[in-house]
Amino acid sequence: MASLFQSKPIGDVVTNISKSFGIPQNLVYPVKNYTKELTLDTGVDILALLALRQMLFCAEDHIDNAQMRGAMSAMAVGGGDHENASESA
């Protein structure tokens, strides 16, 4: 964490967010707002893209888990016999 943040205030914000929401610091992704910048910075772009990639990974995991829970509950309700249940419907 310390090697990523050269700015102590940003590191402090990450620590505060981590404590406030109860999530690990390595899951807090600070992203710089570019609205008033005239030029782009590759280092900032890379951090923003890494944050986006991690968000997409988390979203994919959430969808996979939701689908698995749905399948498990369908098996519990239907007795686990999906073929016969779909044919009789």
Side-chain angles (χ1 to χ4, degrees), residues 5 13-14 19-20 22 26-27 36-37 44 48 54 56 61 64-65 69 72 76 79 82 84-87:
F5 301 116
V13 169
V14 168
K19 288 178 182 176
S20 296
N26 66 329
L27 295 179
K36 296 185 181 181
E37 300 287 329
V44 174
Q54 286 304 115
L56 292 172
D61 286 347
D64 289 345
N65 290 339
R69 284 191 304 269
M72 300 276 279
H82 289 289
N84 291 338
S86 62
E87 289 175 8

Side-chain angles (χ1 to χ4, degrees), residues 71-84:
M72 300 276 279
S73 65
M75 287 175 57
V77 170
D81 196 3
H82 289 289
E83 290 180 18
N84 291 338

Side-chain angles (χ1 to χ4, degrees), residues 12-23 28:
D12 292 343
V13 169
V14 168
T15 300
N16 290 338
I17 294 294
S18 172
K19 288 178 182 176
S20 296
F21 288 96
I23 58 175
V28 177

Side-chain angles (χ1 to χ4, degrees), residues 52-71:
L52 177 61
R53 184 174 72 174
Q54 286 304 115
M55 287 184 256
L56 292 172
F57 286 154
C58 289
E60 183 179 26
D61 286 347
H62 177 73
I63 290 169
D64 289 345
N65 290 339
Q67 288 174 339
M68 187 178 300
R69 284 191 304 269

